Amino acid sequence: MPSDETRRLLKLFGVAVTNLEDAIDRRAPVEEITKLDAELADRTREVIAFVERLRSRRIL
């Protein structure tokens, strides 16, 4: 069963993706898109770090 941390990370990642996609689709100002792109990059790094921690716990 997914942990609360997993749910939280995936929710934040999904919000970041959809916010950026929406801004691009509505042709938002470059500054807004740049900010949202940076946020998505941060969320992506968080997800990757979480997955790496999770994979390190696996039983070989």
Side-chain angles (χ1 to χ4, degrees):
M1 175 168 241
S3 69
D4 288 342
E5 182 180 9
T6 301
R7 287 186 182 93
R8 181 188 70 78
L9 282 172
L10 291 176
K11 179 179 179 180
L12 292 173
F13 179 77
V15 168
V17 170
T18 55
N19 285 346
L20 178 58
E21 183 179 30
D22 179 58
I24 291 169
D25 288 348
R26 62 183 165 79
R27 300 178 189 261
V30 172
E31 297 81 19
E32 181 181 348
I33 291 173
T34 301
K35 179 183 171 189
L36 292 170
D37 183 63
E39 181 181 347
L40 178 56
D42 289 342
R43 298 299 178 200
T44 300
R45 284 189 286 275
E46 289 176 9
V47 169
I48 290 169
F50 177 76
V51 169
E52 288 173 353
R53 288 191 308 273
L54 182 62
R55 292 182 74 215
S56 72
R57 293 182 2 205
R58 70 177 180 215
I59 299 172
L60 299 176

